[in-house]
Structure formats: structure tokens, C-alpha cells
Amino acid sequence: GKDKELIRNSWESLGKNKVPHGIVMFTRLFELDPELLSLFHYNIKDGSMQDCLSSPEFLDHVTKVMLVIDAAVSNLDDLNTLEEYLINLGRKHEAAGVKVQSFAVVGESLLYMLQCSLGPAYTATLRQAWLNMYSIVVAAMSSGWTK
Ligand code: HEM
């Protein structure tokens, strides 16, 4: 429907520049919740946000996150096909020390990145369409948590 079109069209250019957009998203995430920095172990102990954002491993993670979003956008018609993958991905994040509640602030950061890049094209309808897709992804990932 219309929501899927909004998501696909808005992702078309963003998805071609995954790393810069992912950096905007994670910069926002660490502003909103600086404690999340410490979950990236390759981040030097007590490293600054800048140290983390410029480490190659961290940039790999940024790319991984953007590729999952890309996969969700590509499979909008049948997000169920990603379910097993996302449950397993959730399991890995539990092991990495991530809390399910942190996905709310990840979602806020995703919306912030969309707002920054889309400008006037970032409408209430578009925001809601993205939130709906993101909720499905998070619900699947969250069901991977064992505790
Ligand atoms: C792996 C942290 C959010 C996708 C990892 C790893 C850590 C981590 C520590 C393992 C090391 C690495 O691969 O860099 C976090 C934190 C997050 C977060 C702290 C936010 C609170 C997300 C989100 C997605 C995602 C929202 C995608 C929707 C991935 C992928 C991997 C990964 C695809 C690789 C898993 C594998 O090895 O198979 N994450 N992550 N992450 N993360 Fe995240």
C-alpha cells in the first residue's frame, strides 16, 4: 500500500549511503543514551564517542544495522521471511549485553536520522510507516531474548 511506497521511496537514496546515515543515527543514539557506548567492546575503555564512531569495527556494525534495515525494506511484503534471522539476531544482542528497552531509543535515533535526511519529506504519515516497520523488526528481535 501507500505506507510501503513511502518507506521504499524514502529509503532509495538513504540506502545508497548507508555509513554516513548510520553514523547520524548512532551519534544520536549515544547522545540520548551514552551508556550504550560501553557495549561496543572494541571501543577503547572509556573511549569517547568520537573514538568509537571512527573505529573500523564500529563502522562495520553501522553497516550491519543498515543492511538489516535494507533487508526489512526489501521484504516489506513479507517480513515473516526475516523472522528466524531476527530472533537469532536478538539472541546475539542479549549475549552482547543489550537490553530490549534500548531498542526504543534506537527507534528514536532512526527517526531522527530520517528527519535529518528527508527534510520536508519527513511527514507524520511517513514517520508512522517507518515506526510500524521498525516495531515488527524489534518485536522479532525481542523474542530472541531468553530472559
Ligand atoms: C552485532 C551492539 C543495535 C544489527 C552486534 C554486536 C554488538 C552489537 C556488540 C557484536 C559485535 C559486532 O558485530 O559489532 C549493538 C547495540 C545496539 C545494536 C549496543 C543498540 C542498542 C542493532 C540493531 C541492528 C543490529 C538495531 C539491526 C536492526 C547487528 C548485526 C550484528 C550485530 C547484523 C552482527 C550479528 C552477527 O554477527 O551475526 N551488535 N547493536 N544491531 N548487530 Fe548490533
Side-chain angles (χ1 to χ4, degrees):
K2 190 171 171 286
D3 282 6
K4 290 176 186 167
E5 277 314 295
L6 278 173
I7 293 177
R8 288 190 189 106
N9 292 338
S10 57
W11 186 251
E12 196 166 288
S13 73
L14 291 186
K16 289 183 183 120
N17 284 296
K18 292 187 176 61
V19 171
H21 288 107
I23 289 174
V24 171
M25 178 172 156
F26 272 87
T27 302
R28 183 64 178 162
L29 181 68
F30 295 142
E31 278 169 10
L32 295 172
D33 189 352
E35 290 189 3
L36 292 175
L37 264 173
S38 66
L39 294 177
F40 293 97
H41 295 298
Y42 35 78
N43 185 28
I44 322 145
K45 244 205 171 350
D46 298 321
S48 69
M49 175 158 86
Q50 282 319 316
D51 288 341
C52 184
L53 289 171
S54 56
S55 83
E57 296 93 336
F58 182 76
L59 295 175
D60 279 349
H61 183 265
V62 166
T63 304
K64 290 175 197 169
V65 173
M66 298 301 270
L67 285 170
V68 175
I69 298 173
D70 198 70
V73 174
S74 306
N75 289 279
L76 268 176
D77 287 325
D78 193 4
L79 283 172
N80 285 334
T81 55
L82 296 178
E83 199 174 8
E84 281 306 312
Y85 171 79
L86 292 172
I87 292 171
N88 191 40
L89 188 57
R91 218 166 271 144
K92 288 177 179 173
H93 283 80
E94 181 186 30
V98 178
K99 299 266 174 289
V100 167
Q101 305 90 275
S102 294
F103 288 126
V105 60
V106 174
E108 269 185 66
S109 310
L110 169 66
L111 293 177
Y112 174 84
M113 178 271 282
L114 292 170
Q115 180 170 20
C116 289
S117 359
L118 299 172
Y122 181 85
T123 60
T125 319
L126 176 128
R127 177 182 184 280
Q128 193 57 53
W130 272 92
L131 260 181
N132 293 346
M133 185 187 84
Y134 180 72
S135 306
I136 295 170
V137 170
V138 167
M141 281 180 78
S142 302
S143 62
W145 258 254
T146 58
K147 17 179 201 295

